[in-house]
Amino acid sequence: PAGAEITDLQVTRDGKRYDIRFEALIDAPAERVLHLFSEPERWTALSKVIKRVERLDEPEDKERTAPVSIVFQACVLFLCREADKVSTLVVDTAAGTVTGTSVPGRGDFRYVRERWRIAPHEDGTRLSFTGELEPDFTVPPFIGPLALKSMLRRMLVEMEANLEKLG
C-alpha cells in the first residue's frame, strides 16, 4: 500500500522529559531509507517539519559520528515553535540504526537520547524510533504530547512521500 502506515505512536510525559515511541511501515526500500538517514544534510528534503540541519564539526570516524544541529518546528493550532536539537549521531549501517545523544550545553534540549531502527519489511521498510527528550524551554503539560504526536505524524507522512523522489 502507498503511504506510511503508522502502526504505533506513543508520546508520554514524565515531569519535563518526554518518552517517544513510534513504528511505521514505509513504502520504500530499507537500503534507500538507511542511506538517507545516514546523511543528515538531506533530512530537510524528507519533511517540512525539519527546517535546517547543519553539521557542527567534521565526522570523527568512519561511522560518521559528529555533532549535528537539527532545527525543527512544532505547531499546535496557531502556536508554533522552532527548536534546535544538537546531537552526536552514530550510524551503524550493518545494524540498520542511527543513534543520537545530546551534546551538553548546546541547543534547546537538556537531554536527548534517540534510536532509529531501519529494517526491511516485505517490499518496504519498518521504521522504528525510541527516544527521550527533555526540552530546555517551557512546554505547557497539556500541549506537549499533543504537539509531538501531531508533528511526528505529519513528519512520517511527508517522509514517506518524499523518499521516492530522493532515491
Side-chain angles (χ1 to χ4, degrees):
E5 179 187 343
I6 300 168
T7 58
D8 186 29
L9 176 56
Q10 299 175 38
V11 177
T12 57
R13 181 176 177 152
D14 184 9
K16 294 182 178 183
R17 194 164 286 186
Y18 292 87
D19 182 49
I20 303 165
R21 299 181 188 286
F22 66 76
E23 185 171 282
L25 301 177
I26 305 287
D27 190 20
E31 300 80 27
R32 178 183 300 154
V33 176
L34 182 58
H35 178 73
L36 288 168
F37 269 71
S38 69
E39 297 181 344
E41 301 85 359
R42 296 181 71 191
W43 292 355
T44 56
L46 290 175
S47 172
K48 293 176 186 172
V49 168
I50 303 168
K51 298 299 182 186
R52 288 185 305 282
V53 178
E54 177 184 4
R55 245 183 230 286
L56 302 178
D57 299 306
E58 288 301 310
E60 297 171 10
D61 58 39
K62 64 182 178 182
E63 281 80 35
R64 301 174 56 93
T65 303
V68 176
S69 166
I70 304 157
V71 177
F72 56 92
Q73 184 175 49
C75 298
V76 175
L77 300 174
F78 58 89
L79 300 173
C80 294
R81 169 127 173 49
E82 281 192 359
D84 183 12
K85 182 176 66 163
V86 179
S87 300
T88 300
L89 298 178
V90 177
V91 178
D92 184 339
T93 53
T97 61
V98 178
T99 56
T101 307
S102 53
V103 177
R106 294 178 87 173
D108 295 325
F109 292 85
R110 285 189 193 102
Y111 180 84
V112 174
R113 185 167 308 269
E114 58 191 345
R115 179 184 163 129
W116 295 85
R117 173 96 168 96
I118 297 121
H121 177 77
E122 296 175 3
D123 292 334
T125 301
R126 180 181 305 278
L127 180 65
S128 305
F129 176 88
T130 56
E132 290 179 87
L133 301 172
E134 184 178 331
D136 198 16
F137 50 88
T138 302
V139 180
F142 62 94
I143 289 180
L146 176 65
L148 277 170
K149 271 189 175 181
S150 173
M151 179 189 74
L152 290 169
R153 190 175 308 280
R154 188 172 115 212
M155 182 184 75
L156 287 168
V157 169
E158 289 176 350
M159 184 184 304
E160 200 282 333
N162 291 324
L163 276 167
E164 194 63 36
K165 291 187 261 180
L166 294 172

